[in-house]
Amino acid sequence: MSNEVINQVPTVERAKELEQQVKEGLSQLKAGQDKAIAACYKMRDTKAYSALGFDSYHAWGASALKLKKTRLNELALAGEVQQELLMGFAENITPSTTASPSASESIPPIIDSSVAGSEHKELAQQATDILSAPLAQPSFSSAELSDINTPQLIALAKAPKGERLAVLDMAATEAKVEDKPITTNIIKEAVRALAKPIEPTADEQAAAIKKQHKSAMGKVSKLGEELRELETIGLSSEEIADWKAHLDEIKESILLLEKGLGYE
């Protein structure tokens, strides 16, 4: 068969069929991802691996899945974050007094239907307890929430429990401003923006100041040695002018230091 025949543009019907196959494949990939991370999360937190004869979660992952510890932890963490997001989203958009069946049905269930009723309620209560102040109106839809992939869930995991829904809401707002979908980088920026700076203790501040002073004294000592050994004969007028400017800056710094040290 010639290349001309092979490379002919297919019919519209064939092109639509290929397009549908791509869409179905991508949908299946996402469904498989959600199922895998949810199962990894439950395997870890319910210690289901012990029922299979493994002493640890990581031993099970290495033997059964051929996954390294880091990757296994990422999958379980992604499942944990997705659980929190889905249940938090349902909690925030559904008023407790007028619960709408359609609202809850639109959220894909992440909890295994085989879990006993009491355990199901316990997991639901845990997810509800870790949520902080509810969002008045999330900036993302249930469809956008279901499209969040594993790298994005792992990025959201950097935010503290109870704040991940707020971080995703912040990321969704920023994405709409930029007129583009929610990306991993946008989520990472939202996590950094929400991070609260940690104030150093008095001992830490004192240690930092002492370290700074020690470093400055070392630099001054080295600068003094180099200046004493510096040859000034044969300097051009431009070089002399530059040196005078530098010396003026040094003199000003010394004066400020003397005042701070109590010199008259």
Side-chain angles (χ1 to χ4, degrees):
M1 186 178 293
S2 67
N3 287 334
E4 290 183 1
V5 176
I6 294 174
N7 294 325
Q8 278 185 346
V9 177
T11 62
V12 174
E13 289 73 17
R14 177 55 178 162
K16 288 183 177 180
E17 181 183 342
L18 292 172
E19 181 182 58
Q20 184 59 32
Q21 288 177 7
V22 173
K23 290 180 179 179
E24 289 176 356
L26 291 174
S27 177
Q28 290 170 4
L29 283 174
K30 183 63 173 64
Q33 168 199 273
D34 291 344
K35 187 175 182 179
I37 63 177
C40 280
Y41 164 56
K42 288 189 64 60
M43 179 66 78
R44 182 196 70 185
D45 280 27
T46 63
K47 296 182 173 57
Y49 53 83
S50 61
L52 300 176
F54 292 96
D55 293 331
S56 73
Y57 176 64
H58 297 133
W60 165 77
S63 176
L65 306 180
K66 303 298 185 286
L67 292 177
K68 293 183 178 180
K69 179 178 177 180
T70 302
R71 180 56 178 165
L72 189 64
N73 287 339
E74 286 181 344
L75 293 178
L77 190 57
E80 173 190 315
V81 174
Q82 187 183 61
Q83 176 91 339
E84 178 181 333
L85 293 176
L86 289 173
M87 299 195 74
F89 183 81
E91 177 73 17
N92 280 281
I93 66 171
T94 306
S96 57
T97 54
T98 57
S100 171
S102 60
S104 60
E105 289 171 3
S106 65
I107 307 298
I110 199 69
I111 296 180
D112 192 344
S113 58
S114 63
V115 177
S118 59
E119 184 181 352
H120 183 102
K121 290 180 181 179
E122 182 180 353
L123 287 172
Q125 186 60 46
Q126 288 175 358
T128 302
D129 290 343
I130 61 178
L131 293 173
S132 55
L135 301 173
Q137 182 61 49
S139 298
F140 51 88
S141 64
S142 60
E144 289 175 312
L145 180 57
S146 66
D147 285 338
I148 300 297
N149 58 36
T150 300
Q152 293 170 346
L153 290 170
I154 293 172
L156 274 170
K158 297 293 185 180
K161 288 184 179 181
E163 294 185 6
R164 291 162 179 168
L165 198 66
V167 172
L168 181 59
D169 186 65
M170 186 186 303
T173 301
E174 182 63 25
K176 287 183 179 179
V177 170
E178 298 182 8
D179 193 24
K180 62 181 183 182
I182 302 172
T183 64
T184 304
N185 284 336
I186 290 178
I187 290 176
K188 287 180 178 179
E189 288 296 328
V191 171
R192 282 192 287 267
L194 202 67
K196 298 176 182 178
I198 301 175
E199 292 293 333
T201 64
D203 289 342
E204 290 173 338
Q205 288 179 337
I209 292 172
K210 185 175 181 180
K211 183 177 180 181
Q212 184 184 32
H213 284 186
K214 187 176 181 179
S215 174
M217 285 188 286
K219 290 176 181 179
V220 169
S221 178
K222 186 175 180 180
L223 177 61
E225 292 176 3
E226 292 182 355
L227 290 178
R228 283 190 293 271
E229 296 174 0
L230 189 64
E231 182 58 62
T232 57
I233 299 174
L235 289 176
S236 66
S237 58
E238 292 181 356
E239 289 175 319
I240 292 174
D242 287 340
W243 266 113
K244 285 183 176 180
H246 284 301
L247 290 172
D248 287 341
E249 292 179 3
I250 293 173
K251 288 178 181 178
E252 184 177 353
S253 299
I254 291 174
L255 286 174
L256 290 174
L257 180 59
E258 287 180 341
K259 288 181 180 179
L261 295 175
Y263 280 79
E264 293 295 336

